[in-house]
Amino acid sequence: MARNVVVTGGGTGIGYEIARRFAEAGDEVVIVGRRRAVLEQAAAALGPTVTPLVCDLADPDAVEHALAELPAGIDVLVNNAGSRETVPGAGPHALLARWRGDFERNVLTVVLLTESVRDRLTQGAGRVVTVSSIAALRGAGSYGAAKASLHAWNHFLAAQLGPSGITANIVAPGTVAGTEFFGPRLDEAEVARRASRTLLGRIGETGEVAAAVQFLASAEAGFITGEILHLNGGELLGR
């Protein structure tokens, strides 16, 4: 039976691959993001079961407005939207902008939507999967702190949803190719440097993250909740 799936940040990279897998499984998928052209292009490529929805998930008014266009019942919610704030400059104002930006883009984008659709999650079988980052455990300043806060929030969410038979888990990737996150910084030399920090000698692929998300959203993962699944090739262990 087809499920209703919502994937934030579904227009590119990891989110696109997640949406593609659910669509190929026969599910109805809504991809959510801020860039209309990107979402519409992605939806056209992914097929007729994928619907684009433009929304700035850090804006509560925009989230409220988007609720009318989201499914009345949601089987799977994938919180993938997020980015790293790149405000330049020194001093307290630049520092505040950087920390506030990372919190808004990586925490509020997850919490505002999830809390707004909690009553729509399928009782007894709903799945919430949130994409975090290895930065939550390695540091990385304001970005790492924002992602780490999602881990604490997910524990709370899992406890809140558990009595309804709904699971809430996190996937925390390391460096992944094929995304917009690193921009031009992820050149050949940087890929080699990051690959050398892993135990497998390579960086990850978007499909590997999507496969983990799809597993946690499956019926087989129904007894897994409040967990963090690390996908970093052993980078967290170090070499």
Side-chain angles (χ1 to χ4, degrees), residues 94-186:
L95 188 64
L96 175 62
R98 189 158 54 248
W99 278 77
R100 179 175 286 164
D102 275 332
F103 185 83
E104 290 178 351
R105 293 171 185 264
N106 295 284
V107 180
L108 292 186
T109 52
V110 174
V111 175
L112 289 180
L113 179 63
T114 304
E115 295 294 342
S116 296
V117 300
R118 271 179 59 165
D119 292 342
R120 303 187 188 193
L121 297 171
T122 304
Q123 299 287 297
R127 303 283 185 264
V128 180
V129 184
T130 299
V131 179
S132 173
S133 169
I134 191 175
L137 295 105
R138 290 186 67 105
S142 56
Y143 177 74
K147 290 298 190 182
S149 70
L150 290 175
H151 294 189
W153 168 79
N154 186 71
H155 292 325
F156 168 80
L157 182 68
Q160 293 290 305
L161 298 180
S164 298
I166 302 167
T167 66
N169 292 289
I170 280 180
V171 170
T175 303
V176 176
T179 77
E180 297 179 336
F181 180 80
F182 298 98
R185 292 183 296 128
L186 199 63

Side-chain angles (χ1 to χ4, degrees), residues 3 18 21-22 76 127 129 167 169 171 207-224 227 229:
R3 297 187 293 177
I18 292 169
R21 285 176 174 254
F22 281 113
V76 181
R127 303 283 185 264
V129 184
T167 66
N169 292 289
V171 170
E208 293 170 317
V209 182
V213 170
Q214 195 169 37
F215 166 68
L216 289 174
S218 70
E220 289 82 359
F223 201 53
I224 302 173
E227 296 295 335
L229 178 56

Side-chain angles (χ1 to χ4, degrees), residues 62-103:
V63 172
E64 281 192 338
H65 184 266
L67 292 178
E69 300 183 62
L70 288 169
I74 297 174
D75 299 297
V76 181
L77 171 61
V78 181
N79 292 307
N80 170 72
S83 63
R84 189 167 191 167
E85 182 59 61
T86 57
V87 175
H93 290 286
L95 188 64
L96 175 62
R98 189 158 54 248
W99 278 77
R100 179 175 286 164
D102 275 332
F103 185 83

